[in-house]
Amino acid sequence: MFTGIVQALGTILSISSSGKGAEISIESSDLDFSDVAVGDSIACNGVCLTVTGISGNSFVADISHETMERTIFKYLSSGSRINLEKALTPNTHLGGHIVQGHVDGIGRITKISRTDNAVDIWVDSPADISRYIAIKGSITINGISLTVNELKGDAFRLTLIPHTHDITNAMMWKEGDLVNIEVDVLARYIERLLNHKEQNNKKSSMTASFLMENGFM
């Protein structure tokens, strides 16, 4: 579990095929590795990866076939800069929102414009996840906890303050770039609850109809 508050930038040292997935090696001189052990989770561009090896200020992790297919890792290579966040602890400040590190889809940046003290970014999202995105709701882009400020169809606008822009790989984003998107997990649970309630109501209605048709009511 994470908060979407990026702690450091990392550089991909290597990413190579391993079975149907891949093995990735990431270096970061800014991430504190003193409390990181093999088996721990680190969000890498918003993707929860398990540390399988540590050496100095770098670590190795495996990427499953499913993760490769659903994230922008398949487009990254040695030298790519990615956002890093260690898993939260009971003492962590929840400065962002609850982030699972489970990417829902890949978005495309369509417009970047600067205002006086911020950067506005428009992102096109996959149609199958746009229903989970709401104005003033939380969303995670490349592991960054952000707020949706405007919606137009499947596209949404984000506003990054200078601090967020300057300490994450958002500073390198260009129009046309692809990004990892994780929607607010609460939206998925609400949808599941509503669907379950609707299914139960349909079952109750069918049962009542059966009883009436057969003279039991």
Side-chain angles (χ1 to χ4, degrees):
M1 199 75 71
F2 308 92
T3 68
I5 303 300
V6 173
Q7 296 171 324
L9 279 172
T11 302
I12 295 178
L13 298 178
S14 64
I15 182 167
S16 56
S17 297
S18 177
K20 292 186 177 180
E23 182 181 77
I24 189 169
S25 176
I26 300 168
E27 181 272 338
S28 177
S29 57
D30 298 321
L31 191 70
D32 179 10
F33 284 93
S34 63
D35 58 350
V36 177
V38 171
D40 286 350
S41 296
I42 296 179
C44 305
N45 257 16
V47 181
C48 177
L49 297 180
T50 300
V51 175
T52 59
I54 304 174
S55 178
N57 59 355
S58 66
F59 67 96
V60 178
D62 292 324
I63 306 175
S64 70
H65 172 69
E66 170 74 7
T67 299
M68 288 294 291
E69 288 300 309
R70 295 184 67 91
T71 71
I72 64 172
F73 272 122
K74 57 178 172 284
Y75 304 115
L76 302 182
S77 59
S78 176
S80 296
R81 298 280 278 166
I82 61 174
N83 298 319
L84 302 176
E85 180 192 354
K86 294 185 289 187
L88 64 83
T89 70
N91 295 323
T92 302
H93 291 291
L94 191 59
H97 70 284
I98 296 173
V99 176
Q100 294 183 301
H102 302 160
V103 171
D104 293 294
I106 296 174
R108 183 183 297 274
I109 296 173
T110 57
K111 184 178 180 181
I112 300 177
S113 57
R114 291 184 175 273
T115 58
D116 291 338
N117 61 349
V119 179
D120 282 338
I121 298 176
W122 279 94
V123 180
D124 275 348
S125 68
D128 62 336
I129 66 172
S130 60
R131 66 182 181 275
Y132 302 115
I133 302 172
I135 292 178
K136 299 307 177 184
S138 296
I139 196 164
T140 309
I141 306 296
N142 275 5
I144 309 168
S145 173
L146 296 167
T147 300
V148 177
N149 288 323
E150 189 176 352
L151 285 171
K152 289 183 180 178
D154 293 330
F156 57 91
R157 178 175 61 83
L158 309 165
T159 300
L160 277 65
I161 62 172
H163 176 75
T164 301
H165 179 269
D166 295 343
I167 68 165
T168 68
N169 64 9
M171 71 176 82
M172 306 164 196
W173 292 350
K174 306 180 301 297
E175 293 179 0
D177 281 356
L178 300 177
V179 292
N180 292 326
I181 298 176
E182 180 185 334
V183 299
D184 190 346
V185 65
L186 297 178
R188 287 195 173 278
Y189 281 123
I190 290 171
E191 181 185 54
R192 173 61 177 165
L193 288 169
L194 292 175
N195 286 341
H196 185 70
K197 182 178 180 180
E198 182 180 355
Q199 291 171 4
N200 284 340
N201 288 341
K202 286 181 179 178
K203 289 179 181 179
S204 297
S205 179
M206 290 173 63
T207 301
S209 297
F210 173 81
L211 293 175
M212 291 180 65
E213 289 171 1
N214 289 276
F216 293 102
M217 293 180 67

